[in-house]
Amino acid sequence: MPAKIIDGKKVAEKFLNEVNKKIKESKEKPGLAIVLAGNNPASEIYVNFKEKKAKEVGLYFERYNLEENVSQNELLKLIDNLNQSRKIHGMIVQLPLPKHIDEKLVVDAILPHKDADGFTPVNLGNLVNDDNRLVPATARACLELIKSTGEKIEGKNTVVVGRSTIVGKPVALLLLQENATVTICHSKTKNLAEFTKNADILVVAVGKPKLIKKDMVKKGAIVIDVGINKTPSGIIGDVDFENVKEVAGYITPVPGGVGPMTIAMLLDNTLNAMEMGRGFLR
Ligand code: GUN
C-alpha cells in the first residue's frame, strides 16, 4: 500500500488557527520583524510567505529589506533598535546573510527573548536542557508532522540525516525528548543506507535532491523531507518522493510538507517570545 501523504498545509492550518485565536485574546498585539539582507531569490520567496501568513493571523509586522552591501554595523544597529522596540516581540534575520557579514555575530546580537527563530546560544542551550520555549521552527515543524500521524515515537529507531544547527541537531534533541532512539547521519557517515534502512522515523535535511532512494527506506517508515532544492524540473526534496512513497508508511511532500508547517511554528514562536519577554524591560 502506498504511503499516506502528510499534508503540511492542513496541519499548519490547525496551528495557524490557534495562533490567530491567541492573538485575538491577547491584550497586547504581538509583533514580528523580519530582516532580509541582500537579494537571495529563495530567501525572498520564504520571507514573502512569512510576511503573508504573519499578516493573515493578525500579528503586527515590520519588514526590513537591506542592500546586499549593507555593513555589519548597520545590521547590528537595526537589531539593537528591534531589541528595544516595544512593538516587536520576536524577530528573525533571514539566513544566509551576505558573505561579508559574520552570521553568528549577528544572530547572537538578538535578545534571547526576541529570538523567534530560536537560533541564539541561550535558546539552543535551553533546548539541550529540555526547555522548549523558543525552538527552531523547522525542527518543531518536523516533530509536529511526525506527531500528526498519530504513531508512537517512544522507543522508535529514528534517523536524522543532516547535522545543521537550524534543523538536524534541534530535531534530534526534540526526538530524544520524546524517548526515540536517535542516530544522526551526515556527509561523512559511511554506508548511509545501513542506517536509514533501520529507521522507523527518517528525517532528511541535507539539501541534496533525491538523496534518499526507495531501497534506503524501511517498509512503513515515517519519512519527513526537509529539503527544498531548485532544479530545472521544479522544487524537489531530499527524498525521491515518487518511489519512496511506495514503501514508506507516511511521507511529506515537497512542496506542501515541512515548509508551511515551519511558517506556522515561526508565528507560534512569536507568541512564545512575547510570553518569554514578559518581565523584561523592552
Ligand atoms: N534560512 C533557511 N531557513 C531559515 C529559518 O528557519 N530562519 C532563518 N532566519 N533563516 C533561514
Side-chain angles (χ1 to χ4, degrees), residues 154-172:
E154 185 168 306
K156 292 285 169 69
N157 277 343
T158 303
V159 171
V160 178
V161 186
R163 55 176 157 179
S164 69
T165 308
I166 299 183
V167 191
K169 286 183 213 167
V171 84

Side-chain angles (χ1 to χ4, degrees), residues 1 9 22 40 58 65 77-78 91 93 124 129 148 150 167 169 177 195 205 214 222 254 256 272:
M1 203 171 61
K9 270 193 187 166
K22 285 189 217 162
N40 179 317
N65 293 302
K77 215 183 290 171
L78 171 60
M91 73 176 98
V93 177
L124 291 170
N129 236 349
S148 78
V167 191
K169 286 183 213 167
Q177 284 178 10
F195 292 94
K214 183 178 174 181
I222 300 174
V254 177
N272 294 347

Side-chain angles (χ1 to χ4, degrees), residues 43 46 50 92-96 117 119 137-138 166 262:
S43 293
Y46 301 149
K50 290 173 184 176
I92 76 162
V93 177
Q94 188 67 26
L95 304 178
D117 263 326
F119 290 172
T138 308
I166 299 183
T262 296

